[in-house]
Amino acid sequence: MELKDILDMEEYLENRCYCPGEIYSDDGFFCQIFEATSECKVIGERNDNIYNFIAVISKPKSFKNEEPEAQILIIFRNKDLTMIEDSVRYDATNNNIKLVKEIIAGKKDKGNFDEYEKGANAKSLKEIFNIADAIMID
């Protein structure tokens, strides 16, 4: 299966992301680029009064011939399941996959997601703040 096989994912990636293909981490700061033709594997989906999403594992676009690490994409859909409204990504660690499956099963409503490299996002943010006097987000 490819990402473009999910509702209007191709349109979403091209026209409704901040920049084409960008899917951000839950902190809203770091993004990776995904292509509509990226292979993906469905973890599961949930559609009830609390959540309406499909969760997949996919890999972002490769840069500098490096093999990117897999990501969990939580793809939020509108009520009538006709379009994608938003998405967020998490590292596809065993903990995060288990947590997403528990949320899908209704056993949990939230949890603590981890990273491939513990503290990597915090370290990156610290480096950015050390060289910048201000950060402006449009």
Side-chain angles (χ1 to χ4, degrees):
M1 174 178 197
E2 294 181 344
L3 287 175
K4 68 180 178 183
D5 297 326
I6 301 169
L7 293 179
D8 70 332
M9 190 66 170
E10 191 165 13
E11 172 71 19
Y12 173 80
L13 289 171
E14 288 178 17
N15 299 306
R16 293 198 306 276
C17 291
Y18 183 72
C19 288
E22 289 184 346
I23 297 182
Y24 284 81
S25 53
D26 66 346
D27 58 21
F29 209 87
F30 299 102
C31 71
Q32 291 181 339
I33 307 296
F34 289 83
E35 297 175 320
T37 56
S38 297
E39 290 290 322
C40 67
K41 177 183 174 189
V42 176
I43 299 173
E45 59 186 294
R46 185 166 170 186
N47 185 9
D48 57 30
N49 291 332
I50 300 171
Y51 295 107
N52 185 356
F53 67 85
I54 184 168
V56 301
I57 296 176
S58 187
K59 287 189 176 184
K61 184 176 179 179
S62 175
F63 292 98
K64 300 179 185 174
N65 296 324
E66 295 175 3
E67 181 65 26
E69 294 181 296
Q71 299 290 297
I72 298 171
L73 303 181
I74 307 296
I75 302 166
F76 298 95
R77 308 170 294 195
N78 65 350
K79 287 182 184 180
D80 40 346
L81 305 176
T82 57
M83 66 180 276
I84 294 167
E85 293 184 333
D86 199 7
S87 61
V88 66
R89 67 172 184 80
Y90 299 93
D91 288 346
T93 64
N94 290 333
N95 172 69
N96 293 350
I97 293 168
K98 179 182 173 193
L99 182 56
V100 168
K101 287 180 177 180
E102 288 174 340
I103 292 170
I104 289 167
K107 295 178 182 176
K108 289 187 175 185
D109 282 333
K110 58 184 177 180
N112 294 319
F113 289 92
D114 60 11
E115 303 169 275
Y116 282 123
E117 182 184 331
K118 186 175 177 153
N121 282 354
K123 180 182 173 190
S124 295
L125 279 173
K126 184 176 179 180
E127 289 173 7
I128 290 168
F129 289 132
N130 281 336
I131 61 172
D133 291 328
I135 295 177
M136 189 172 180
I137 300 175
D138 182 21

